[in-house]
Amino acid sequence: MDAVIDVIARAGATIAVTTVGDSGPGVVVVHGAMQAGESQRDLAELLAADGFRVHLMDRRGRGGSSALMPDTSPDDEVEDVRAVLAATGARRCVGVSSGALLAARCALAHPGLLDGVVLFEPPLAIDGSVRVSDAQRVRTAVRRGQLATAMAVGMRAAEMGPPWMFRLPIPVLAAFARLMLRRPGIAERAAALTADFAIVELNADRLSDFAAVGAPTLLIDG
């Protein structure tokens, strides 16, 4: 049976963590945009079958964790990852998309904390490779309650979907997003896109920073 705990993080925020697997080396999984910890359930079960104890954290504003606050920063989320690692005793971390940038930043900020890092498609903008300029548009849409528009901008920026979709106007993509918003949990994940874009924005054109990551790192392109 899964174990569920609340980890106390920076400024008293709580981070909900679901543990899959009874024993073995600990692995913390940091999810990406439009996800919660449960989104990586299949990965957790596969790793648990291979003898790992996997900790699926809900980032702020998702699942059972504390709400995102207006002043929540990427640094706060990096410290959330550190708090979960400390609470679980895990020394390995898997980051997905924006969560991969958080995992890498945690490895940088806390040398010696991790024995290994896996980064799946970190959205590290290099010379305009990611549409960082869309960050303000997402913030404005979320502030106005236009979650479908925020999702549409996010889908285009992250190229989530087949290539033909990226040529569609935002209002058309938003129509697809409205259908998705009918599903439970999607609205909170859409509202949290502001945090994902803040992470991408902060790390844009900072590739050289990550040369200082000391932990063995596996970079995966999907």
Side-chain angles (χ1 to χ4, degrees):
M1 182 179 294
D2 297 346
V4 181
I5 62 171
D6 285 335
V7 174
I8 305 302
R10 180 181 280 188
T14 58
I15 305 300
V17 180
T18 300
T19 298
V20 180
D22 297 325
S23 61
V27 181
V28 169
V29 179
V30 190
H31 64 77
M34 295 303 301
Q35 296 183 340
E38 190 66 18
S39 303
Q40 303 300 326
R41 162 68 61 172
D42 289 348
L43 172 63
E45 291 180 351
L46 287 168
L47 288 172
D50 276 347
F52 291 93
R53 197 158 190 252
V54 186
H55 309 286
L56 300 173
M57 61 179 285
D58 290 332
R59 288 170 50 200
R60 297 190 194 203
R62 294 87 157 176
S65 293
S66 292
L68 277 169
M69 304 303 290
D71 60 348
T72 298
S73 70
D75 286 344
D76 291 325
E77 290 212 77
V78 169
E79 288 307 304
D80 292 346
V81 176
R82 184 206 60 77
V84 173
L85 287 163
T88 60
R91 294 189 57 84
R92 295 167 176 81
C93 190
V94 176
V96 179
S97 189
S98 52
L101 290 178
L102 294 177
R105 281 286 166 195
C106 186
L108 276 174
H110 302 284
L113 182 66
L114 290 164
D115 293 334
V117 187
V118 177
L119 308 177
F120 179 77
E121 294 197 342
L124 185 58
I126 302 170
D127 295 332
S129 61
V130 180
R131 300 172 67 110
V132 177
S133 59
D134 283 332
Q136 184 56 49
R137 192 170 185 182
V138 168
R139 285 191 287 267
T140 299
V142 170
R143 186 174 66 249
R144 293 175 177 173
Q146 299 169 345
L147 297 184
T149 297
M151 288 176 63
V153 175
M155 284 190 290
R156 188 177 68 177
E159 298 186 355
M160 290 188 289
W164 61 264
M165 287 184 63
F166 313 143
R167 296 190 293 270
L168 296 177
I170 289 297
V172 177
L173 287 174
F176 286 109
R178 287 188 191 94
L179 297 176
M180 296 173 62
L181 282 166
R182 297 175 182 175
R183 294 162 49 192
I186 297 299
E188 72 172 14
R189 298 179 192 184
L193 281 169
T194 54
D196 296 296
F197 270 85
I199 293 164
V200 175
E201 201 172 26
L202 181 67
N203 287 283
D205 293 312
R206 297 180 65 179
L207 176 63
S208 60
D209 291 5
F210 298 97
V213 172
T217 301
L218 175 64
L219 179 64
I220 301 177
D221 179 25

